[in-house]
Amino acid sequence: MTDMNTFPWPNGCQGAVSMSFDDGSQSQLDIAIPILDEYDLRGTFYINPRGDDWKERLQPWREVALTGHEVGNHTIQHICTRNFGWGRGKTLETITLDEIEADVVEAERRLQELIPEQSVRTFCYPCYQNYVGEGATRQSYVPIIAKYFPAARGIGEAANHPELTDLHYLSSSAVAGWMSGSDLCRIAAVASEQNRWVVMTFHGFQEEASSGWAPGSYHGSSLSADSFRELCAYLASHRDEIWIQPVLKVAQEIISWRGNL
Ligand SMILES: [Zn+2]
């Protein structure tokens, strides 16, 4: 492990965990952030500055950013695949690369206006999807994201290998509402066991334990506060093995190390 081409995790750690949260739900503000703060942990919150009232509505997220959490870009319109059957709205199959770029750039302008203190942030692909078009004309929009952001979060089975992962489509583990605290700790433990960067993706939270997986639902039910607290307690007690930081911070560390190779 002393090979000069092996990424050195900071603080003598053996891996990293980033907790990421999508869509800026109220339950993240009400449940997840107080628990993170209780354990002195920082996460990455990907929000959508949409609607005429975006600036007033997103003020709580400014406060979140000022306490050390990362507020990331999740586009304004949150355009996903037509296959969800969500109705007449825009879909990835029918928009152009220029349209997605304009949406991402305007979201970035608004987030900079909301939080001038945070000059750089990471991006998160809505619904984990990174393309426009379909079939023979389908094109990746990862190269556009790579122009504007140091890193971006997607989804994937293997945790991120610091030397090998594509920083502009980071793998993440999607957390389902039915997962127990020990399920979450198992996911996080991969970081130190495999010397990898585990990114976890959360959506909604609820105070009570959920009754189980809802077939056909997009994210399943919300995660219980108790499960999340169990994960945070585990992470807080493993700080000497696992580097726990927002996505931006880990990405910057890897970028800086890769630049010096
Ligand atoms: Zn989303």
PDB file of all heavy atoms in Angstrom, residues 174-180 184 201 213 219-223:
ATOM      1  N   ALA A 174     -27.820   3.843  -4.190  1.00  0.00           N
ATOM      2  CA  ALA A 174     -29.110   4.460  -3.885  1.00  0.00           C
ATOM      3  C   ALA A 174     -29.685   3.825  -2.625  1.00  0.00           C
ATOM      4  O   ALA A 174     -29.819   2.609  -2.541  1.00  0.00           O
ATOM      5  CB  ALA A 174     -30.063   4.260  -5.051  1.00  0.00           C
ATOM      6  N   VAL A 175     -30.003   4.644  -1.651  1.00  0.00           N
ATOM      7  CA  VAL A 175     -30.578   4.150  -0.402  1.00  0.00           C
ATOM      8  C   VAL A 175     -32.097   4.070  -0.557  1.00  0.00           C
ATOM      9  O   VAL A 175     -32.733   5.039  -0.938  1.00  0.00           O
ATOM     10  CB  VAL A 175     -30.201   5.087   0.766  1.00  0.00           C
ATOM     11  CG1 VAL A 175     -30.999   4.742   2.021  1.00  0.00           C
ATOM     12  CG2 VAL A 175     -28.704   5.010   1.031  1.00  0.00           C
ATOM     13  N   ALA A 176     -32.646   2.897  -0.281  1.00  0.00           N
ATOM     14  CA  ALA A 176     -34.099   2.716  -0.358  1.00  0.00           C
ATOM     15  C   ALA A 176     -34.711   2.890   1.027  1.00  0.00           C
ATOM     16  O   ALA A 176     -34.059   2.637   2.045  1.00  0.00           O
ATOM     17  CB  ALA A 176     -34.407   1.324  -0.895  1.00  0.00           C
ATOM     18  N   GLY A 177     -35.967   3.318   1.038  1.00  0.00           N
ATOM     19  CA  GLY A 177     -36.635   3.630   2.293  1.00  0.00           C
ATOM     20  C   GLY A 177     -36.732   2.464   3.260  1.00  0.00           C
ATOM     21  O   GLY A 177     -36.751   2.657   4.477  1.00  0.00           O
ATOM     22  N   TRP A 178     -36.768   1.236   2.729  1.00  0.00           N
ATOM     23  CA  TRP A 178     -36.936   0.079   3.605  1.00  0.00           C
ATOM     24  C   TRP A 178     -35.647  -0.335   4.298  1.00  0.00           C
ATOM     25  O   TRP A 178     -35.650  -1.209   5.168  1.00  0.00           O
ATOM     26  CB  TRP A 178     -37.487  -1.109   2.812  1.00  0.00           C
ATOM     27  CG  TRP A 178     -36.746  -1.414   1.547  1.00  0.00           C
ATOM     28  CD1 TRP A 178     -37.104  -1.019   0.289  1.00  0.00           C
ATOM     29  CD2 TRP A 178     -35.518  -2.132   1.401  1.00  0.00           C
ATOM     30  NE1 TRP A 178     -36.169  -1.458  -0.628  1.00  0.00           N
ATOM     31  CE2 TRP A 178     -35.185  -2.140   0.027  1.00  0.00           C
ATOM     32  CE3 TRP A 178     -34.654  -2.772   2.306  1.00  0.00           C
ATOM     33  CZ2 TRP A 178     -34.032  -2.761  -0.465  1.00  0.00           C
ATOM     34  CZ3 TRP A 178     -33.508  -3.392   1.813  1.00  0.00           C
ATOM     35  CH2 TRP A 178     -33.207  -3.384   0.436  1.00  0.00           C
ATOM     36  N   MET A 179     -34.518   0.280   3.936  1.00  0.00           N
ATOM     37  CA  MET A 179     -33.250  -0.193   4.497  1.00  0.00           C
ATOM     38  C   MET A 179     -33.150   0.100   5.992  1.00  0.00           C
ATOM     39  O   MET A 179     -33.569   1.146   6.470  1.00  0.00           O
ATOM     40  CB  MET A 179     -32.077   0.452   3.757  1.00  0.00           C
ATOM     41  CG  MET A 179     -31.903  -0.102   2.350  1.00  0.00           C
ATOM     42  SD  MET A 179     -30.464   0.649   1.526  1.00  0.00           S
ATOM     43  CE  MET A 179     -30.463  -0.300  -0.007  1.00  0.00           C
ATOM     44  N   SER A 180     -32.544  -0.858   6.704  1.00  0.00           N
ATOM     45  CA  SER A 180     -32.344  -0.693   8.146  1.00  0.00           C
ATOM     46  C   SER A 180     -31.029   0.044   8.378  1.00  0.00           C
ATOM     47  O   SER A 180     -30.208   0.193   7.462  1.00  0.00           O
ATOM     48  CB  SER A 180     -32.271  -2.071   8.806  1.00  0.00           C
ATOM     49  OG  SER A 180     -31.094  -2.731   8.366  1.00  0.00           O
ATOM     50  N   LEU A 184     -27.459   0.168   5.995  1.00  0.00           N
ATOM     51  CA  LEU A 184     -26.714   1.376   5.613  1.00  0.00           C
ATOM     52  C   LEU A 184     -25.253   1.281   6.061  1.00  0.00           C
ATOM     53  O   LEU A 184     -24.343   1.678   5.329  1.00  0.00           O
ATOM     54  CB  LEU A 184     -27.364   2.622   6.221  1.00  0.00           C
ATOM     55  CG  LEU A 184     -28.832   2.865   5.854  1.00  0.00           C
ATOM     56  CD1 LEU A 184     -29.319   4.159   6.488  1.00  0.00           C
ATOM     57  CD2 LEU A 184     -29.028   2.909   4.358  1.00  0.00           C
ATOM     58  N   THR A 201     -26.714   7.782  -1.867  1.00  0.00           N
ATOM     59  CA  THR A 201     -27.738   8.710  -2.347  1.00  0.00           C
ATOM     60  C   THR A 201     -29.026   8.535  -1.549  1.00  0.00           C
ATOM     61  O   THR A 201     -29.585   7.429  -1.504  1.00  0.00           O
ATOM     62  CB  THR A 201     -28.021   8.467  -3.842  1.00  0.00           C
ATOM     63  OG1 THR A 201     -26.833   8.738  -4.572  1.00  0.00           O
ATOM     64  CG2 THR A 201     -29.148   9.371  -4.334  1.00  0.00           C
ATOM     65  N   TRP A 213     -40.948  -2.038   1.054  1.00  0.00           N
ATOM     66  CA  TRP A 213     -40.735  -1.504  -0.284  1.00  0.00           C
ATOM     67  C   TRP A 213     -42.058  -1.418  -1.019  1.00  0.00           C
ATOM     68  O   TRP A 213     -42.876  -2.327  -0.948  1.00  0.00           O
ATOM     69  CB  TRP A 213     -39.780  -2.426  -1.043  1.00  0.00           C
ATOM     70  CG  TRP A 213     -39.485  -1.961  -2.416  1.00  0.00           C
ATOM     71  CD1 TRP A 213     -38.859  -0.817  -2.781  1.00  0.00           C
ATOM     72  CD2 TRP A 213     -39.801  -2.645  -3.630  1.00  0.00           C
ATOM     73  NE1 TRP A 213     -38.753  -0.748  -4.148  1.00  0.00           N
ATOM     74  CE2 TRP A 213     -39.322  -1.851  -4.693  1.00  0.00           C
ATOM     75  CE3 TRP A 213     -40.438  -3.863  -3.930  1.00  0.00           C
ATOM     76  CZ2 TRP A 213     -39.454  -2.218  -6.029  1.00  0.00           C
ATOM     77  CZ3 TRP A 213     -40.567  -4.222  -5.260  1.00  0.00           C
ATOM     78  CH2 TRP A 213     -40.082  -3.404  -6.288  1.00  0.00           C
ATOM     79  N   HIS A 219     -38.653   5.871  -5.697  1.00  0.00           N
ATOM     80  CA  HIS A 219     -37.599   5.773  -4.695  1.00  0.00           C
ATOM     81  C   HIS A 219     -37.970   4.823  -3.562  1.00  0.00           C
ATOM     82  O   HIS A 219     -37.234   4.719  -2.604  1.00  0.00           O
ATOM     83  CB  HIS A 219     -37.329   7.142  -4.054  1.00  0.00           C
ATOM     84  CG  HIS A 219     -36.862   8.163  -5.045  1.00  0.00           C
ATOM     85  ND1 HIS A 219     -35.851   7.911  -5.933  1.00  0.00           N
ATOM     86  CD2 HIS A 219     -37.275   9.426  -5.284  1.00  0.00           C
ATOM     87  CE1 HIS A 219     -35.664   8.998  -6.683  1.00  0.00           C
ATOM     88  NE2 HIS A 219     -36.513   9.922  -6.308  1.00  0.00           N
ATOM     89  N   GLY A 220     -39.112   4.184  -3.641  1.00  0.00           N
ATOM     90  CA  GLY A 220     -39.591   3.451  -2.480  1.00  0.00           C
ATOM     91  C   GLY A 220     -40.052   4.470  -1.449  1.00  0.00           C
ATOM     92  O   GLY A 220     -40.130   5.658  -1.725  1.00  0.00           O
ATOM     93  N   SER A 221     -40.336   4.009  -0.257  1.00  0.00           N
ATOM     94  CA  SER A 221     -40.795   4.936   0.767  1.00  0.00           C
ATOM     95  C   SER A 221     -39.609   5.673   1.381  1.00  0.00           C
ATOM     96  O   SER A 221     -38.463   5.396   1.057  1.00  0.00           O
ATOM     97  CB  SER A 221     -41.559   4.156   1.835  1.00  0.00           C
ATOM     98  OG  SER A 221     -40.793   3.039   2.203  1.00  0.00           O
ATOM     99  N   SER A 222     -39.894   6.608   2.247  1.00  0.00           N
ATOM    100  CA  SER A 222     -38.832   7.405   2.853  1.00  0.00           C
ATOM    101  C   SER A 222     -38.059   6.610   3.896  1.00  0.00           C
ATOM    102  O   SER A 222     -38.584   5.689   4.513  1.00  0.00           O
ATOM    103  CB  SER A 222     -39.450   8.633   3.518  1.00  0.00           C
ATOM    104  OG  SER A 222     -40.079   9.429   2.542  1.00  0.00           O
ATOM    105  N   LEU A 223     -36.825   7.001   4.101  1.00  0.00           N
ATOM    106  CA  LEU A 223     -35.962   6.339   5.086  1.00  0.00           C
ATOM    107  C   LEU A 223     -36.329   6.811   6.495  1.00  0.00           C
ATOM    108  O   LEU A 223     -36.596   7.999   6.709  1.00  0.00           O
ATOM    109  CB  LEU A 223     -34.503   6.704   4.794  1.00  0.00           C
ATOM    110  CG  LEU A 223     -33.448   5.993   5.641  1.00  0.00           C
ATOM    111  CD1 LEU A 223     -33.376   4.513   5.273  1.00  0.00           C
ATOM    112  CD2 LEU A 223     -32.090   6.645   5.458  1.00  0.00           C
TER     113      LEU A 223
END
